[in-house]
Amino acid sequence: MSTAVCTADQGSNITDKQICFNGANGPTYRNAICSGDSGGPIYVSRSGGPQSQVGIASFGYTVCGLNSTNTTTSVFTEVYDYKAWIDNVIADNATPAYEVKLVNGSRTLINNNTVAQDSSGDSGGSFSVNSLLSLLFVSFLVRLRRKAALGKK
C-alpha cells in the first residue's frame, strides 16, 4: 500500500523508509505479521529470479492480521534505504552506536558514541526505537558474518 494511505491509517509513526502491507479479512490474513515476528525478513522475487530481501518486520498487531479498525496488516523497515550503512557494517567499516558485550559475565549495553554531549536540561537520556533497531540489525549482521565464516572453513 502507498505510504500516504499507510500514514493516514497509522499516523505520523510511518516514514518513507517503511513498507506497509494490507490484506483481506478472512480466516487467514495475507501480508500480515504477528507478535514476535519483528526483525524477520520480507523477500521479493521478480519474474521468477532470485529472491531479494526488501524489508525487516517492524510491527503488526498482537493478534496476527487483526485489522478490524486499520487497513494496514504489517509494517516493514525498507532495506534499500539503509543499503550504504549495511554495506559499511558488513565490510566492518562502521562502529555501531550501541552494542551488547559480555562484561563480568553479564550482557551489558555499551554506548560507542564518542562525541561529548551537553547533558544540561537532560532528563537522563533515552534509548530510541531507531537505536534499538540499529542494535538488533547490527547483531543480526554479525551473526550472519560468523555463520558465513564458519561455512567457508
Side-chain angles (χ1 to χ4, degrees), residues 86-127:
I86 292 167
D87 290 343
N88 277 325
V89 170
I90 290 171
D92 212 12
N93 293 329
T95 301
Y98 298 90
E99 61 186 313
V100 175
K101 289 186 177 179
L102 200 59
V103 177
N104 297 326
S106 297
R107 292 182 182 186
T108 304
L109 182 64
I110 305 296
N111 180 346
N112 290 326
N113 294 317
T114 57
V115 179
Q117 296 180 359
D118 178 12
S119 61
S120 60
D122 191 355
S123 64
S126 66
F127 191 68

Side-chain angles (χ1 to χ4, degrees), residues 62-77:
T62 303
V63 177
C64 185
L66 179 66
N67 63 353
S68 58
T69 58
N70 300 89
T71 58
T72 310
T73 57
S74 56
V75 179
F76 292 81
T77 299

